[in-house]
């Protein structure tokens, strides 16, 4: 056992959950799975939402932004809220209200109503992930936490992968409203089972929140809220060409910097930054942030490329991701076994190496790429993720004191989600930018003095004339088709560039893996 867990008082060490820990892990993961799924399942339904509620696509995006803003804020303070209400009670409140707000989202009659209900849904959903991790840390002994985090990985890694597939199928076959109604039976079952199975350990029931840190709470709301708005709306608004985005960036900077300064000196901070004194926790948060950014960005890039460049439907674009989710589930037991024989930091380094080469392979996109190749690319990418989530989660909490686990779980989840949001925004922004750069470059060759260009137009013209088009009309159509080819080629090159940059980030993270304490997992996955 680690030195931290060895120092647990006798009464605490003797506590065991009244129900089977694995049953508890499955039930609390079910609730977290439902919440993580909602961060991506709505994406593919946005055009349908816009049409149904008589709004523009740009306006409908606020249904996603409002959720992310509330979610990101609550993630950070969930440890304090858990102390305030009691962990089991807070978890049940979050699940119950998440279910209620899902129903309200499904029956929303206007876009303002949907945005308001999504804001509430994000507020209650934000407490599910960190509370789930905190529960797993307490109900499992250190030697079994690695295997338990394997169950958690199904929620955190597989849910964003399955979200677009499930969302696309439901939207195509039924209605976007069923994307939200889907949560109702899952939420009701989770509330019942958790109320029956879960008990708070004595060190949780004896801990009370130390009052409301109004200043810290306000700074976190301003900082993270404005950051999420800036990242989610930046591309549509033209980034720093927009006064609105510049104001959001300034408020985010002031809020986050002010929150850090205040939380370091406040007598009773809403979240304790002293968790970052633990080297394993700090390095783990850094690596989880990098993994989250790459996970969410790559989960958006491939289906977006398939829909925009290959004219796939939402369902088929989502199906590209599904085998990758299966690969994660199959590989997690293999990773747990590997953690028993290899130092955990080497397993994490291996995961980032696999991911880096997978993204490098994915940068070889080409016109007319087939479905099978895209599936192979995604499976290769998610294979790397399987080697990351469980080892990083296990080693992050290895030496963290028990009384800091609530704050640690909140900040750990916040890093993953905020970096995931940043990853999506940066990836989509870079696609737009690089498509314009490549189009400008390719346009240099589209001139009467470039023989291959003229030959390409002539080839198209002959084909059109053979189809019955007149000479002048055939010439105009040929030029238009060649221009469309140029644009398609520029877009493919832009996607390739972004995958290449993601690969570079994965390679750059590898050296940071060795900041973690040496040691390998024993038992069923605890690090020592």
């Amino acid at each position: 056992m680690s030195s931290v867990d060895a120092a647990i008082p006798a009464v605490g060490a003797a506590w065991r959950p009244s129900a089977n820990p694995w049953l508890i892990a499955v039930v609390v993961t079910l609730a977290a799975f439902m919440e993580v799924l909602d961060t991506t399942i709505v994406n593919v339904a946005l055009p349908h939402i816009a049409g149904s509620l008589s709004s523009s696509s740009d306006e409908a995006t606020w249904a996603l932004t409002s959720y992310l803003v509330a979610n990101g804020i609550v993630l950070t303070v969930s440890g304090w809220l858990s102390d305030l209400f009691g962990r089991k009670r807070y978890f049940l409140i979050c699940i119950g209200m998440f279910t209620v707000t899902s129903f309200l989202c499904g029956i929303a009659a206007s876009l303002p109503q949907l945005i308001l209900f999504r804001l509430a849904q994000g507020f209650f959903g934000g407490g599910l992930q960190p509370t789930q991790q905190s529960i797993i840390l307490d109900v499992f002994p250190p030697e079994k936490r690695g295997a338990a985090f394997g169950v958690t990985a199904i929620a955190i890694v597989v849910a964003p992968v399955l979200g677009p597939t499930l969302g696309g199928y439901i939207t195509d076959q039924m209605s976007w409203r069923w994307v939200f109604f889907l949560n109702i039976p899952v939420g009701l079952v989770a509330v019942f089972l958790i109320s029956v199975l879960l008990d708070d350990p004595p060190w949780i029931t004896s801990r009370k929140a130390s009052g409301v840190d109004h200043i810290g709470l306000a700074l976190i709301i301003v900082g993270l809220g404005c950051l999420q708005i800036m990242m989610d709306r930046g591309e549509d608004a033209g980034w720093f060409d927009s006064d609105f985005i510049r104001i959001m960036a300034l408020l985010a900077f002031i809020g986050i910097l002010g929150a850090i300064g205040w939380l370091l000196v406040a007598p009773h901070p809403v979240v304790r930054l002293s968790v970052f004194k633990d080297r394993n926790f700090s390095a783990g948060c850094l690596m989880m942030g990098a993994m989250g950014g790459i996970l969410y960005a790559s989960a958006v890039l491939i289906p977006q490329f398939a829909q925009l460049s290959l004219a796939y439907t939402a369902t088929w674009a989502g199906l590209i991701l599904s085998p990758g989710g299966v690969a994660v589930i199959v590989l997690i037991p293999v990773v747990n076994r590997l953690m028993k024989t290899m130092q955990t930091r080497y397993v994490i380094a291996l995961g980032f190496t696999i991911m880096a080469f997978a993204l490098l392979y994915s940068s070889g996109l080409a016109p007319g790429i087939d479905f099978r190749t895209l599936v192979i690319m995604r499976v290769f990418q998610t294979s790397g993720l399987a080697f990351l989530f469980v080892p990083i989660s296990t080693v992050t909490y290895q030496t963290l004191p028990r009384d800091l686990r609530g704050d640690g779980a909140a900040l750990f989840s916040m890093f993953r989600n905020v970096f995931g949001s940043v990853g999506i925004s940066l990836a989509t922004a870079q696609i737009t930018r690089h498509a314009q750069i490549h189009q400008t470059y390719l346009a240099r060759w589209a001139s009467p003095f470039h023989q291959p260009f003229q030959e390409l137009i002539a080839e198209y013209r002959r084909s059109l004339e053979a189809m019955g088009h007149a000479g002048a009309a055939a010439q105009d159509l040929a030029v238009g088709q060649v221009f469309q080819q140029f644009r398609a080629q520029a877009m493919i090159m832009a996607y390739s560039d972004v995958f290449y940059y993601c690969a570079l980030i994965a390679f750059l993270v590898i050296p940071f893996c060795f900041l973690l304490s040496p040691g390998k997992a024993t038992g069923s996955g605890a690090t020592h």
Side-chain angles (χ1 to χ4, degrees), residues 66-423:
S66 58
Y67 181 91
L68 293 173
V69 168
N71 194 271
I73 292 168
V74 176
L75 274 171
T76 313
V77 299
S78 60
W80 171 73
L81 289 170
S82 181
D83 290 345
L84 184 66
F85 294 103
R87 189 170 67 188
K88 176 180 177 178
R89 186 181 295 112
Y90 176 60
F91 200 49
L92 286 170
I93 290 171
C94 287
I95 300 170
M97 291 307 299
F98 185 85
T99 305
V100 170
T101 52
S102 294
F103 172 74
L104 293 174
C105 288
I107 64 171
S110 66
L111 186 64
Q113 283 185 12
L114 180 61
I115 292 171
L116 178 63
F117 296 146
R118 281 286 283 174
L119 193 70
Q121 191 187 36
F123 178 83
F124 291 106
L128 294 177
Q129 291 181 55
T131 308
Q132 175 228 22
Q133 288 214 338
S134 179
I135 290 168
I136 285 179
L137 284 168
D138 284 336
V139 300
F140 284 94
E143 66 272 12
K144 292 186 178 179
R145 285 181 195 150
F149 279 128
V151 177
T152 304
I154 296 173
I156 306 304
V157 178
V158 178
V161 171
L162 293 182
T165 307
L166 189 58
Y169 180 79
I170 291 173
T171 303
D172 287 343
Q173 300 299 321
M174 292 183 285
S175 164
W176 64 267
R177 297 182 185 276
W178 282 96
V179 167
F180 298 109
F181 292 150
L182 183 70
N183 294 329
I184 297 172
V186 179
L188 292 175
V189 170
V191 166
F192 172 74
L193 291 176
I194 288 169
S195 63
V196 172
L197 298 174
L198 191 62
D199 295 311
D200 282 338
W203 57 87
I204 293 294
T205 54
S206 63
R207 193 165 65 211
K208 301 296 180 184
S210 54
V212 181
D213 176 13
H214 294 95
I215 296 176
L217 190 59
L219 289 169
I220 288 171
I221 290 172
V222 172
L224 290 180
C226 291
L227 176 65
Q228 289 281 14
I229 292 172
M230 181 190 77
M231 298 309 300
D232 193 59
R233 305 294 298 174
E235 178 61 28
D236 292 331
W239 290 104
F240 294 105
D241 292 334
S242 164
D243 290 337
F244 175 72
I245 295 300
R246 285 199 291 266
I247 291 171
M248 289 296 104
L250 179 62
L251 290 175
F253 177 77
I254 293 171
I256 292 172
L257 200 64
I260 292 172
W262 172 258
L263 294 173
L264 288 173
V265 299
H268 302 293
V270 69
V271 59
R272 290 170 290 180
L273 299 186
S274 55
V275 291
F276 290 110
K277 292 180 181 178
D278 187 289
R279 186 180 70 179
N280 283 335
F281 181 81
S282 298
C285 283
L286 174 68
M287 288 180 286
M288 183 54 71
M291 191 207 85
I294 295 172
L295 167 64
Y296 283 95
S298 59
V300 168
L301 287 178
I302 284 186
Q304 187 184 78
F305 167 76
Q307 286 180 279
L308 296 180
S309 296
L310 303 178
Y312 279 36
T313 64
T315 303
W316 278 100
L319 284 171
I320 295 172
L321 305 181
S322 300
V326 175
V328 172
I329 296 172
V330 170
L331 284 171
I332 282 173
V334 177
V335 173
N336 277 326
R337 289 182 176 274
L338 188 63
M339 288 170 63
K340 300 175 188 177
T341 58
M342 182 186 293
Q343 286 191 20
T344 309
R345 58 182 182 174
Y346 293 156
V347 177
I348 298 170
L350 175 63
F352 276 112
T353 302
I354 293 171
M355 179 183 283
F357 279 109
L359 292 164
L360 205 58
Y361 170 61
S362 301
S363 68
L365 296 172
I369 190 169
D370 62 2
F371 178 84
R372 179 175 173 273
T373 304
L374 290 173
V375 168
I376 291 172
M377 286 180 175
R378 187 56 188 168
V379 169
F380 195 7
Q381 291 171 15
T382 53
S383 297
L385 292 172
F387 286 83
L388 294 175
F389 183 84
V390 174
I392 292 174
S393 298
T394 305
V395 78
T396 297
Y397 299 107
Q398 176 184 347
T399 52
L400 195 66
R402 174 195 283 167
D403 66 312
L404 291 176
R405 285 177 187 165
D407 292 310
L411 290 168
F412 186 65
S413 299
M414 184 271 291
F415 263 79
R416 182 182 62 250
N417 282 35
V418 170
F419 274 77
S421 179
V422 170

Side-chain angles (χ1 to χ4, degrees), residues 455-479:
E455 290 176 356
L456 183 61
I457 291 178
E459 183 179 339
Y460 272 94
R461 189 184 68 242
R462 286 192 294 271
S463 298
L464 289 165
E465 287 174 343
M467 295 168 61
H469 292 278
Q475 176 70 17
D476 292 339
L477 286 171
V479 172

